[in-house]
Amino acid sequence: MNAGGFAVLCAVVVLGALLQVAIGFGLGLLAAPVIALIAPELVPAVIVVLATGVTAVVLLLDRAHIDLRGTGWALAGRVPGVVAGALLVAALPTRVLALCVAGMVVVGVVVSLWGYRPRPTRRAVVLAGLVSGVMGTATAIGGPPMSMVWQRYAGARLRSTMSGFFLAGSLMSLAALAVTGSVTGESLTYALLLAPAAAIGVALARPLGRRLDARRTRAVAMALAIAGAATLTVQQLT
């Protein structure tokens, strides 16, 4: 990877981490298509490692507001989803996995714009955890199902509950990916190199988050994600 490509990755990780902390999503949705475009062999391990660190910080800051029961049921669904997602990563060629990343970005944006508000029943939360486990392990984009089922939450409760789920879920995904040989020394090295960029995004999130219009920021984030997914799709099909 050349210096220009790495600089682009750093910028995307800063923005993604900032959005992840400020509005509850963004790191996977923004970074996954860009990393798949520049270095597809790093997906999904690098993003899962970075997401583990970012969600740990958010959980530490907002831990008093977490819905432990909801998180527990979601994790019960995540376990089989993680296994299925890890098997997909091991079985799919890099090109197909990159197209899956692009597809998951589109799904994530559609879910965010759909406006459907399911009741967070036990069954719905377990099912969302299952789907998130498959998506998050295979493509590092596991937020849309959980944001849909927990969208009645707001502020610190949403951030902490999502972060608690994703911290435990990311550790599960990393373990499953490691077992299938999808976590390489190269991916861990790049995760370490990109960690300062994620830390900068986290540090900027709280002071800047108060000044951001949530609706407008979400719209810009989704537009950037779609642009990245479209570019990735064109690259893989040409």
Side-chain angles (χ1 to χ4, degrees), residues 12-105:
V12 171
V13 169
V14 169
L15 180 58
L18 189 157
L19 292 173
Q20 186 78 35
V21 178
I23 62 175
F25 81 99
L27 183 55
L29 203 63
L30 288 179
V34 177
I35 293 179
L37 185 65
I38 296 174
E41 68 277 7
L42 301 180
V43 177
V46 166
I47 305 170
V48 177
V49 173
L50 293 174
T52 301
V54 172
T55 53
V57 172
V58 178
L59 182 60
L60 180 65
L61 294 173
D62 293 321
R63 60 189 180 278
H65 304 278
I66 188 171
D67 175 6
L68 289 173
R69 176 176 292 184
T71 301
W73 284 115
L75 288 173
R78 174 124 184 167
V79 173
V82 163
V83 174
L87 292 175
L88 284 175
V89 173
L92 294 177
T94 301
R95 182 179 184 181
V96 176
L97 191 59
L99 290 173
C100 287
V101 169
M104 286 305 100
V105 169

Side-chain angles (χ1 to χ4, degrees), residues 171-192:
L171 292 173
M172 290 180 192
S173 296
L174 280 176
L177 291 170
V179 168
T180 59
S182 302
V183 179
T184 63
E186 182 183 20
S187 61
L188 291 176
T189 298
Y190 272 100
L192 183 62

Side-chain angles (χ1 to χ4, degrees), residues 120-144:
T121 62
R122 182 183 302 175
R123 180 178 298 179
V125 171
V126 171
L127 180 59
L130 171 65
V131 177
S132 178
V134 177
M135 293 170 56
T137 305
T139 67
I141 305 172

Side-chain angles (χ1 to χ4, degrees), residues 100-222:
C100 287
V101 169
M104 286 305 100
V105 169
V106 175
V107 169
V109 171
V110 170
V111 167
S112 297
L113 294 175
W114 188 9
Y116 175 55
R117 296 171 64 88
R119 292 179 60 237
T121 62
R122 182 183 302 175
R123 180 178 298 179
V125 171
V126 171
L127 180 59
L130 171 65
V131 177
S132 178
V134 177
M135 293 170 56
T137 305
T139 67
I141 305 172
M146 306 317 302
S147 64
M148 174 178 281
V149 79
W150 281 334
Q151 63 185 295
R152 295 171 186 265
Y153 295 169
R157 190 180 188 196
L158 175 63
R159 291 193 302 268
S160 62
T161 304
M162 291 275 283
S163 295
F165 169 76
F166 284 121
L167 176 57
S170 294
L171 292 173
M172 290 180 192
S173 296
L174 280 176
L177 291 170
V179 168
T180 59
S182 302
V183 179
T184 63
E186 182 183 20
S187 61
L188 291 176
T189 298
Y190 272 100
L192 183 62
L193 292 173
L194 289 168
I200 291 171
V202 170
L204 292 174
R206 290 303 169 106
L208 291 181
R210 302 186 190 100
R211 303 179 183 179
L212 295 176
D213 179 87
R215 181 174 297 180
R216 189 170 299 175
T217 301
R218 288 172 68 91
V220 171
M222 288 188 286

